[in-house]
Amino acid sequence: MSNIREEYKCAKKSKFMQAVFIGALAGAAVSLFDKNTRSSVLANSKSCMNNMKELVKNPNGILNQVRETSSKVRATVEKISDDVSFISQRVEEMKDIPSQVAHVVMETKEVFSAEGQQESSSNHDLEERISLN
């Protein structure tokens, strides 16, 4: 009983795939009614055939092009990797800048507060001298 069900399922799948294939062929045939589509398909087919002939005649040329392209891609990836490394180093350096700026601000504040204390003490001494006179 289960064999019949499996055969029925397989037959359904087979018919489904046949219908999909037939539908695709019908769609392609209908699309070829347009003159622009026909000429485009013809031009692309000729180009594909010429490329295939070139590949068969000169496989080393294609391999050399692939090698050149892969070496260019490799060089580009290495350059990008170096650039990313450089940028990350600069970002790390910039992370240290706020702490350095804070340190400079604190030192400046200490210098100004020390000068302010000296001025106030010298102003106080001057006021005492004036009041004594």
Side-chain angles (χ1 to χ4, degrees):
M1 184 80 172
S2 65
N3 288 338
I4 295 173
R5 287 182 186 169
E6 289 177 21
E7 288 177 18
Y8 180 71
K9 288 180 183 178
C10 289
K12 274 183 136 179
K13 289 180 183 177
S14 175
K15 286 182 183 180
F16 176 74
M17 292 307 292
Q18 286 176 352
V20 167
F21 184 69
I22 291 170
L25 288 176
V30 168
S31 69
L32 290 176
F33 290 151
D34 182 37
K35 185 176 182 176
N36 292 332
T37 304
R38 281 194 311 270
S39 62
S40 174
V41 168
L42 185 62
N44 288 335
S45 298
K46 285 181 181 179
S47 174
C48 182
M49 289 302 293
N50 289 335
N51 289 340
M52 293 300 285
K53 287 178 185 176
E54 183 66 30
L55 178 63
V56 169
K57 288 180 184 176
N58 189 7
N60 290 333
I62 301 297
L63 290 175
N64 289 337
Q65 287 179 351
V66 169
R67 287 182 187 130
E68 288 176 15
T69 303
S70 66
S71 66
K72 288 178 182 178
V73 167
R74 188 178 304 116
T76 303
V77 168
E78 288 175 2
K79 185 174 183 338
I80 290 171
S81 175
D82 292 343
D83 290 347
V84 167
S85 175
F86 175 78
I87 290 170
S88 66
Q89 287 175 353
R90 294 299 172 250
V91 167
E92 289 298 321
E93 290 175 4
M94 291 180 77
K95 285 180 181 178
D96 294 338
I97 289 176
S99 63
Q100 293 171 352
V101 169
H103 182 69
V104 168
V105 168
M106 292 301 289
E107 286 179 352
T108 306
K109 179 182 174 184
E110 290 172 2
V111 167
F112 280 124
S113 63
E115 287 178 0
Q117 288 176 355
Q118 288 176 353
E119 286 180 13
S120 64
S121 65
S122 62
N123 286 342
H124 184 64
D125 291 344
L126 183 63
E127 289 175 4
E128 285 182 8
R129 287 184 203 158
I130 293 173
S131 65
L132 291 177
N133 291 337

